[in-house]
Structures are given as C-alpha cells and as structure tokens.
Amino acid sequence: MFVEDLKNDFYNVLLGNRVLLLVHYDVDAICTCKILQGLFKCDNISYTLVPVGGIAELKQAYLENNEEIKYVCLVNCGGTIDLVDILQPEEDVVFFVLDCHKPTDVCNVYSDGQVRLVYKDEEEKIPNFDDIFRDDEDEEEEDPGGGREGLEARVERRRARRAWEERRDTLMFNYTQFSYYGKPSALVALELSWRVSRLGAREAWAGAVAGAAHEAWGLRGAAACLLDAALLTRARSRTTDNDDGHQSVELVLEKDAPLPLYRWWSLESALKHSPSIGPFLKLHSLAGVSRLRQLLADMGFPLQQARQAYRSMDVELRRGLLEALETAGARLGLRDVSRTAYILRRAHAPPLSALDAVYATAALLEHETIPRSEGFQLALSALDLESENESLRLGIQSAQRSLEAVARLVNATLSARALHLAGPFTYFIIHEGTPEAAWVCGPVWLGVAARWAADAAGARALVASAPLDNQRCIMLGVPPRRQEPANLFGAAFSQAAAKSGVSVSLDHVDSSVVTLPTAQRAQFLDALTALLADT
C-alpha cells in the first residue's frame, strides 16, 4: 500500500520506536540516509543502520537485526521484490519502503499494510488489483453438479480462467518488461524534512547531490529531473545556515560546465575525462586529439593554461570559462556543454558542485582498495558541509583515478575495435588482467564506461562485462542515452538465463545488473542475442 501522508503515516509512526534502517550502496541511497539520520537525531529516534548490496544481503541483514524490531525502513532496496515472501517477517512487523527502482512489485503495492510504500510515482502504470489477483475458492466450493449442464459449466469456467490468465500475463509483461528509475529517494526524504520543519542546508545539499546523480548517470530524463527538484528550488532560501547558526553555507543554483571535478583538476584533464563531452571528442582516434586542441583554441585557452591546475589558471580565463565553452562547443557540434547545477559555497573553501560530490561519493562506494562497508561510512561523511572534509578529498582523488581508468578503457576498446555488434545491441568485454579492471568491477563505474562507449559508438543499447574474480564476472546493460531511460535488459537477462541454462545471479536490486560464471558468458550472450533479435 502507498503512504498518503508522509508526516503522519510514515514519520510519526516511527517516533518513539526503534527502527532498522537498510540502505543500498548507491549515491541516492547515501543522500537519503544522510537526511533520515538528521531527522532521527533531532527527534531521538533510535535506529540500527545496515548497508546492503543485494537481495541476499538484504535478507541476511534482516535476519541478523530483526530482534525486537517492529519497523523497518528500506532505502533503494526491497521495492521491486515481494518483501513478505522473501523475508518471512512476523505479522506485526511493518516495512516502509523508499525505493527509486521501478517497477514496484505488485505484491508490495497491494499489501494490506505490512508493506508501506512511502512514495507513489505517477509514471507507474500499476495494473488494477482485480486484473492480476483472483480468488477461486468460492468457485471451487460451488459444485455445478453432474450431467451435461454441469460439464458445460466446468468447461466454461476453465475457459474463462484461461482467458483471465492470458490477460494477466499480458498486463504483467507490459508492466515489468522495462526497468527504470523514479524520483530520487533523497528528494522524497527532503519533502519529509520540509513537512516536519527540519529542512536545513545539510538536507538540501544531500537532495541536490541525489538529483545530480540521477541526471549524471542518465537515470532520468531532463524534464523529469527538473520536476523532481521543484521543492529543492523553492526551499533554497531556507538553506543558508549551518547547524551553528552562522551564515557560512549557501546553496546556489547557477549555470555550470558539465565537467567532473574541473575545479580540482586541470581544464584539459576535465575535458578528456568528462563522460558527457569525452565521447563526442572521440579521443580514441588521432582526430580526437586534434579536436580537443581545436576546442581549447576556439575557447581561447593556451595549452599551458589548460594543463595546469584550475586554481592556478589566469583569473580572467576562469571567469570566462563557461561562455567560452558554450561558444566553442556550439561551433564543434558538442551537446550539453552547460547545465544548471547546484553549487555549495562555504566560507574559506572553494565552491563545490553537486556533480563533483556525486563522483566523489560514488568513488568511495566503489573504491579500489577500501572495503565497501568502510566506503559507505566515508561516503556519508563526504556529504558533511565542513570546509575541511578529508572524506570528500579522498573521494575526489579516487574519482579522478577512476575516471582516468574509464577513459583509458573505453578509448582502448574503441581504438582496438573491440566493441562488438550483436543484433539489436553492442557489447564489450573487459578481460581479466586488463589494468583498468580493478576500477570498473562495480556497477557504478562499469555503467559510466558503458554509457561512454554507447555515446561514442552511436545510438544502440550496450552491454558491458568485467571480471569480479577468477571465476565470475559482472554484466550490465544500458539503454540508448538519448532516448527514454527505460531499460529492457532486466527482463531480457532473466529470460536469457532461463533459456540458456546459465547459472546467472539476479541478486542485484537493479535488474539490469547480473553476475554469472565467466566460462558461461559467451553462451549467455548468444542466448541474449537470439532473444532480443526475435523481439
């Protein structure tokens, strides 16, 4: 069932109770957790926080922490699976689900109250209850009797049931064939903080980062991202103070260059490693290098200036960066060379864009050496507003290395013509022993590499795979970026696994991400190609 009133039907229910908070490893979930932690601290709500990476970890976390717990809050996990069936909870346990992964499982939607969905996305076309659930107990109890009339009644009843089952299967197929992302969970939590009069700079900043993550990863269309951030835009006037009451933090909305970490990098490095501009420069070719230098020349930036740290550049060049990039980008036919972005301005600290915080947080979650549970805590700390934030600095450094690895990997793949065409989609495989494999073995950075390659190669959907260890690999699929961000690979992976007999793990909360034995990857790709070629 859906929660109608965020304050009374969700937050007020938690007051005075201990809460089990299960949070997925992604940027939006981290931002949502940050907002909820602030609310819980204000109202003395005790909670147990457990990060989870998949359905198996979700089940284990619940089993290990459900003692004397009556309220469970799930962030970006649990919405797409039948929670009651998988977790087998006691009847008095209530699950509050705040999950941007869609479509929502219909058993959660029509739960009698044990599963409560905190937000209803108007984009979801949920089938009616009577069209997908049917109670045949009364029919079985009614005996049509013997004779010809009774036989005809039974035959007619079976025919009607088969027709109803066919309609239900068609409805469920149409409902579940595409996976997609709804409104960022952090922006729903931000609305809750507004309603309970707890909205401050920390909450607004977390919401801005979550919205920027959905836009940067291409999870939501541009119009949807704009509508999602409507409350954040209205609330900025109330987010200029930090907790000690000093006017030292301000969240502003302004045009900015879509260059990741350029304030912490050189301009040339930011252009070369930008997932939104790099693909169109086609740096895997000699012409791409010339195109980059032509872009800098058209902008009026000498190579000496472009290659030094941004903070050391000439002040006039820094001030005219955005205008120069827009003018030169239009001349070269580059798209998305500027965008409206949230910038955090703090005393005695350089401006921090929400996009930079997205990459820093993602890098901590999928750090090359830091354990994932530790990276989760560092990612939470990176969202703090303090000007001296060691976690943020660590995340920025890791994000720079990860973006460099992604750029090298994609450029090497394209230059070696290792991007293969398989019917309606293309794919590339990162083999074990590849130097960049350690950086892109998680869904975030592998997804960045996949979208980069898809943009550079054309408008086709793309599948990418990377090794996890000596025996297993990860595989994910991304839709064409310039189209609606509905992803058909979730359902396709499931069907291909069933037809091929490959032991594919569908444990990830995003159905378009799977793991499978490396030895069976070719067999699985053949089955996927045959399946999608028939659709």
Side-chain angles (χ1 to χ4, degrees):
M1 61 176 290
F2 287 100
V3 170
E4 299 293 337
D5 188 328
L6 282 177
K7 179 180 179 181
N8 295 319
D9 298 338
F10 170 43
Y11 191 68
N12 287 352
V13 176
L14 302 180
L15 293 176
N17 295 289
R18 184 169 186 81
V19 179
L20 175 59
L21 186 59
L22 304 178
V23 182
H24 185 241
Y25 288 99
D26 66 63
V27 175
D28 178 34
I30 289 288
C31 296
T32 309
C33 180
K34 194 71 173 179
I35 296 173
L36 292 178
Q37 281 183 312
L39 294 176
F40 291 172
K41 180 179 179 180
C42 286
D43 293 305
N44 295 317
I45 298 177
S46 58
Y47 65 94
T48 300
L49 171 61
V50 183
V52 296
I55 300 173
E57 288 187 24
L58 170 62
K59 184 175 182 179
Q60 180 181 0
Y62 176 73
L63 292 176
E64 293 178 352
N65 297 277
N66 66 354
E67 186 175 355
E68 297 183 2
I69 292 289
K70 300 302 179 186
Y71 295 97
V72 183
C73 186
L74 300 99
V75 179
N76 281 0
C77 57
T80 59
I81 59 176
D82 186 348
L83 276 175
V84 174
D85 179 62
I86 291 178
L87 300 184
Q88 297 293 314
E90 299 293 334
E91 293 184 358
D92 58 346
V93 176
V94 176
F95 297 94
F96 287 103
V97 181
L98 189 51
D99 194 353
C100 66
H101 298 95
K102 305 295 177 184
T104 306
D105 188 273
V106 292
C107 293
N108 294 337
V109 172
Y110 293 111
S111 170
D112 59 357
Q114 189 164 21
V115 178
R116 304 179 188 182
L117 305 171
V118 176
Y119 175 75
K120 183 176 182 180
D121 198 322
E122 298 300 330
E123 298 176 7
E124 283 194 277
K125 307 299 181 183
I126 301 172
N128 294 326
F129 179 87
D130 294 335
D131 292 332
I132 55 176
F133 295 103
R134 178 171 174 168
D135 188 359
D136 289 333
E137 293 183 2
D138 294 337
E139 294 184 7
E140 294 177 359
E141 292 177 359
E142 295 178 2
D143 186 4
R148 181 175 180 178
E149 293 182 357
L151 178 60
E152 290 178 349
R154 283 192 291 270
V155 170
E156 182 61 31
R157 184 181 299 168
R158 291 170 185 167
R159 183 183 295 114
R161 178 173 179 81
R162 284 196 298 270
W164 178 86
E165 289 176 346
E166 290 176 358
R167 290 194 302 271
R168 179 194 61 188
D169 292 343
T170 301
L171 284 171
M172 290 303 297
F173 174 78
N174 292 335
Y175 178 63
T176 60
Q177 66 174 324
F178 293 106
S179 61
Y180 59 98
Y181 283 76
K183 183 177 181 178
S185 298
L187 294 179
V188 180
L190 187 73
E191 182 178 350
L192 172 63
S193 65
W194 172 278
R195 293 180 182 273
V196 299
S197 301
R198 297 282 193 272
L199 180 56
R202 296 181 188 277
E203 290 74 22
W205 175 237
V209 173
H214 273 54
E215 184 177 4
W217 306 150
L219 306 181
R220 300 275 280 171
C225 289
L226 185 63
L227 294 174
D228 292 341
L231 174 62
L232 184 59
T233 304
R234 297 197 307 268
R236 279 189 305 112
S237 61
R238 293 178 54 182
T239 60
T240 56
D241 293 344
N242 60 9
D243 289 344
D244 58 12
H246 296 296
Q247 299 282 332
S248 57
V249 176
E250 184 181 11
L251 184 63
V252 298
L253 183 63
E254 59 186 39
K255 289 185 69 175
D256 194 26
L259 304 177
L261 312 172
Y262 75 88
R263 294 179 177 88
W264 317 84
W265 226 339
S266 68
L267 177 60
E268 183 184 48
S269 295
L271 285 169
K272 289 169 60 176
H273 303 110
S274 169
S276 61
I277 293 180
F280 302 103
L281 291 175
K282 299 188 182 301
L283 295 173
H284 59 279
S285 63
L286 292 177
V289 177
S290 300
R291 193 177 290 109
L292 173 60
R293 293 185 177 180
Q294 183 64 48
L295 175 60
L296 290 171
D298 290 347
M299 291 173 62
F301 281 68
L303 279 177
Q304 181 183 8
Q305 291 285 330
R307 287 177 175 173
Q308 63 181 320
Y310 173 80
R311 298 177 189 175
S312 302
M313 283 174 55
D314 183 86
V315 175
E316 293 302 320
L317 290 177
R318 284 187 301 184
R319 290 175 178 171
L321 171 61
L322 185 58
E323 182 180 356
L325 182 60
E326 288 179 326
T327 303
R331 193 175 300 132
L332 290 177
L334 297 179
R335 293 176 290 185
D336 301 333
V337 292
S338 66
R339 65 179 62 179
T340 303
Y342 284 97
I343 309 294
L344 185 69
R345 299 192 179 278
R346 303 162 294 176
H348 313 299
L352 175 64
S353 74
L355 181 64
D356 290 352
V358 167
Y359 282 102
T361 306
L364 291 170
L365 290 173
E366 291 187 5
H367 197 275
E368 59 270 26
T369 58
I370 296 176
R372 191 166 58 167
S373 58
E374 183 181 347
F376 182 91
Q377 297 298 331
L378 289 172
L380 282 173
S381 300
L383 293 175
D384 290 339
L385 302 182
E386 286 75 17
S387 57
E388 295 295 329
N389 191 325
E390 291 299 326
S391 297
L392 177 65
R393 184 176 292 107
L394 176 63
I396 288 173
Q397 293 171 353
S398 178
Q400 290 173 334
R401 292 193 298 270
S402 297
L403 283 171
E404 290 170 347
V406 167
R408 287 196 306 269
L409 173 67
V410 175
N411 290 334
T413 299
L414 294 174
S415 62
R417 297 188 178 182
L419 192 63
H420 307 290
L421 177 62
F425 66 93
T426 56
Y427 72 91
F428 70 89
I429 295 173
I430 304 168
H431 296 284
E432 188 177 357
T434 303
E436 294 78 19
W439 278 274
V440 294
C441 60
V444 171
W445 293 118
L446 183 58
V448 172
R451 284 184 286 271
W452 188 317
D455 284 347
R460 287 180 177 270
L462 186 140
V463 172
S465 179
L468 289 176
D469 50 41
N470 294 332
Q471 297 182 339
R472 297 190 66 79
C473 63
I474 182 175
M475 181 178 291
L476 59 78
V478 295
R481 181 158 184 156
R482 300 298 166 182
Q483 300 178 13
E484 288 297 319
N487 197 329
L488 59 81
F489 283 108
F493 284 162
S494 178
Q495 294 177 33
K499 290 186 176 182
S500 65
V502 176
S503 56
V504 176
S505 173
L506 306 174
D507 182 68
H508 201 276
V509 296
D510 186 340
S511 60
S512 63
V513 181
V514 297
T515 59
L516 66 155
T518 305
Q520 296 180 316
R521 179 166 51 196
Q523 177 184 347
F524 181 74
L525 282 171
D526 289 341
L528 183 65
T529 302
L531 174 68
L532 294 180
D534 295 336
T535 57

